[in-house]
Structures are given as structure tokens and as C-alpha cells.
Amino acid sequence: MDFSQLKKNSGKAALEKLTAELQKLGGSNQDSSSDDRFWYPNVDKAGNGYAVIRFLPPSLNEDVPFVRIWEHGFKGPTGKWYIEKSLTTIGQNDPVGELNSVLWNSTSDDNSPARKQAREQKRKLGYIANVYVVQDQLNPEHNGKVYLFKFGKKIFDKLNEAMNPQFADEDPVNPFDFWDGANFKLKIRNVEGYRNYDKSEFASKGALFDDDSEIEAVWKRQHSLKQFIDPSSFKSYDELKRKMNSVLGLDSQSAQIQRRMDPAPDEDMPWNAPKEHKAAAPRPQHEMVSTSSSTDDDDDDVNFFKRLAEK
């Protein structure tokens, strides 16, 4: 698909196609924290931040403007960290997911150590998309550049709400459209030690630029997303199981998880059971973190875990 076709396909048809993809989603191991292609919003000393970004359409030879990735991030009793992409992202069995199923089904007591461990080891959902940074209040050197942006469920819900408004007086907007999309005002607040994005909102609908040549230049700078869900970028089941056993301190015998005929997948478990949140450690103002938030997304910050594991 060339740029002229991209513009031709812009509008209602593109929005309907993307909405269908969202509905479907509803039913080398890349470390984004050290990848300079990624953009992260920073916050001030009070934990507040503001930026304006534009979500971008599918890149060249790609059909969807975002990918979703399941990850596990937890610390075992050995003091080691398990930070890995889950094979469930690409429709395969994952050893941590299987262990979690066994732990969860081993008891009916929600307060049991087994279910507590399963919750701590649950997979976390993240999304990656291309964005154009319109305004980065704390780091203006990012303005006018194209980056990859990793975000969690809260921001994804904002995108979905823009495309599927609740009220009759609201027109649906394709936030990934150069011409009929809208800038996204990312407003970050510190709420009880966690980043909160409830105040974030879309601006009025309009073209990113009046000049199509400027828009095309942005489109040509976008990054491919296929790499993040390519099976070759995931570790094998056996590699992940060895890593899991090492982190959890399981010996070769006790680590043999009997696969059930119909194991309950992570997303079907009652993860909405009460969960205790420990106070988050204060983060330096300059420290770059992803936008996953324990309170907003029910996701832990996987990148934050990686930095802790490296210390």
C-alpha cells in the first residue's frame, strides 16, 4: 500500500475495519526500556506530566496500527526476576500460564498462598503503536519525531471509546488516522503512588498537517510492528520453563507440571478477586517508565521490574 492508497482508504471504511480488529482483540526478546525507538512520558517531582501525541496509522505493508503483547514480570523466592514475553501472545502454551492454572485450581480459597502466587505471576497486557510527538512538555527534544509507544489498558480504553462513543451526540473518531484522527492529550497524575491517566483526552478531530507531503514524511518514518509478535522474537517453551524453574527455585522433579486436558487460560480466571497493592517506590523525575499502572491497568510496570532486576 502506497501513500496515495493510504489516504484513499482514510475515513469511515478504515474506522470500521479497525473497530472490527478491536472487537477481535476483545473476544529476539526486545527490551523496550533500552530501545531508543520508544518514547516514554516523564513526570515532574510531584508525579505529574503532560504531553500531546498523535497515534499513527498502519506502517508500510502492515494492516493494523498496533500490536498487543502479553508479558510476565515477577520476582521469585530465589531473589531472581522472571521478565519474559508470554507465548500466549502468539497462541501457544506458556509454562507460567500453565503453572498459574494449576496453582489456581488447586484450591477454592481466594486467600491461599497458591492463589496469591498465581495473582503475582499473572500475565500483563500491553500494546505497542507508532506515535508522532506533538508536544513533550518535559523533553521538548522529542517534539516532531516518530516513536514507538508502549501503553496499557487504560489508554487502550480511551482509544476504543473514541472509536465507539457511548452517546448519540458523539461522532466516532479513528484516532489512528492522519486526516480524520485527533491529537491525544496525555495527562498524568500521581494518585496514591501510581500513575493515573483518567484525565487524558482527545482534542478536536483534524488533519495532522495541512500539507500531505509533511504527512507522508511522517508515515515513512514509522517503525514496523510485526517484529514484536514474530515467533522468532519469543523464547521457546522449554527455555521459558527452565527460566521459570530457576526463578521459582523448583527442582527438575517438582517442576513437572501436568498439563490439563483443558487448562484454564489466564484471561478466564477470576483475576478480579481482591488484590493488595504495596506502596510503589518513588521514581526519579528523569526515570523513563512505561505507562502501565497497577491501579489503572491492573498491570505492573514490566520495564520497572527489568531495571530492578539489573541492580
Side-chain angles (χ1 to χ4, degrees):
M1 180 174 64
D2 59 18
F3 182 73
S4 60
Q5 187 177 2
L6 178 71
K7 184 173 182 179
K8 182 180 178 181
N9 293 342
S10 173
K12 183 178 179 181
L15 177 58
E16 290 175 350
K17 181 179 178 181
L18 183 55
T19 300
E21 290 295 330
L22 288 177
Q23 290 172 346
K24 279 194 261 182
L25 288 179
S28 88
N29 222 21
Q30 188 74 39
D31 179 0
S32 60
S33 65
S34 60
D35 190 336
D36 60 10
R37 295 175 301 168
F38 280 81
W39 173 80
Y40 302 93
N42 282 338
V43 295
D44 58 23
K45 293 180 179 179
N48 302 316
Y50 177 81
V52 180
I53 58 177
R54 181 73 168 234
F55 288 93
L56 302 180
S59 301
L60 182 65
N61 298 322
E62 297 187 355
D63 298 322
V64 182
F66 61 88
V67 293
R68 71 171 187 172
I69 298 175
W70 292 100
E71 295 176 293
H72 291 282
F74 57 87
K75 187 177 183 180
T78 61
K80 301 176 183 178
W81 286 86
Y82 184 96
I83 313 289
E84 300 291 347
K85 292 195 292 186
S86 170
L87 287 170
T88 58
T89 301
I90 52 176
Q92 298 180 12
N93 292 328
D94 185 89
V96 177
E98 290 180 343
L99 174 59
N100 286 345
S101 292
V102 172
L103 290 169
W104 190 267
N105 293 323
S106 68
T107 177
S108 60
D109 181 3
D110 279 348
N111 297 316
S112 66
R115 288 200 169 185
K116 180 181 179 182
Q117 180 181 349
R119 289 192 187 97
E120 291 174 348
Q121 295 172 180
K122 61 169 281 194
R123 64 182 189 173
K124 294 88 179 175
L125 179 59
Y127 301 86
I128 298 176
N130 279 282
V131 297
Y132 175 84
V133 179
V134 178
Q135 178 188 358
D136 185 335
Q137 192 173 53
L138 293 177
N139 299 99
E141 66 272 15
H142 297 149
N143 296 349
K145 296 180 181 178
V146 174
Y147 290 96
L148 293 165
F149 178 46
K150 186 176 181 180
F151 54 97
K153 183 179 181 297
K154 174 63 70 173
I155 292 177
F156 184 81
D157 287 345
K158 295 281 185 181
L159 294 167
N160 199 17
E161 289 166 8
M163 297 169 59
N164 300 282
Q166 294 182 345
F167 303 101
D169 64 341
E170 297 176 343
D171 293 326
V173 175
N174 180 355
F176 298 94
D177 194 286
F178 276 132
W179 296 274
D180 293 324
N183 291 345
F184 185 66
K185 295 184 283 187
L186 185 62
K187 300 177 180 180
I188 307 170
R189 296 180 299 146
N190 183 351
V191 178
E192 298 181 353
Y194 294 103
R195 290 191 175 192
N196 181 283
Y197 305 94
D198 287 343
K199 297 291 185 179
S200 300
E201 60 183 348
F202 282 96
S204 300
K205 185 166 65 173
L208 178 60
F209 298 114
D210 294 330
D211 187 343
D212 277 0
S213 64
E214 292 184 68
I215 293 178
E216 184 175 11
V218 170
W219 185 62
K220 289 181 176 179
R221 299 204 303 270
Q222 291 184 204
H223 305 280
S224 172
L225 300 177
K226 290 181 180 179
Q227 60 188 300
F228 298 105
I229 54 174
D230 189 304
S232 66
S233 71
F234 290 75
K235 292 181 179 177
S236 70
Y237 178 95
D238 290 339
E239 287 179 294
L240 292 175
K241 190 166 185 177
R242 286 194 295 271
K243 176 72 174 291
M244 178 189 76
N245 291 343
S246 175
V247 168
L248 295 178
L250 303 175
D251 59 39
S252 58
Q253 271 193 329
S254 63
Q256 298 302 316
I257 304 301
Q258 295 296 323
R259 299 190 184 188
R260 305 280 176 100
M261 290 298 292
D262 185 20
D266 282 3
E267 65 266 31
D268 291 337
M269 292 183 185
W271 291 123
N272 57 345
K275 177 179 178 181
E276 294 181 1
H277 288 290
K278 295 183 179 179
R283 297 169 179 166
Q285 175 184 350
H286 64 276
E287 186 176 22
M288 297 192 300
V289 298
S290 80
T291 57
S292 296
S293 159
S294 295
T295 51
D296 279 351
D297 303 335
D298 199 26
D299 287 345
D300 291 312
D301 189 338
V302 174
N303 289 325
F304 182 56
F305 287 159
K306 291 178 181 178
R307 286 190 296 277
L308 287 179
E310 293 167 356
K311 291 181 179 179

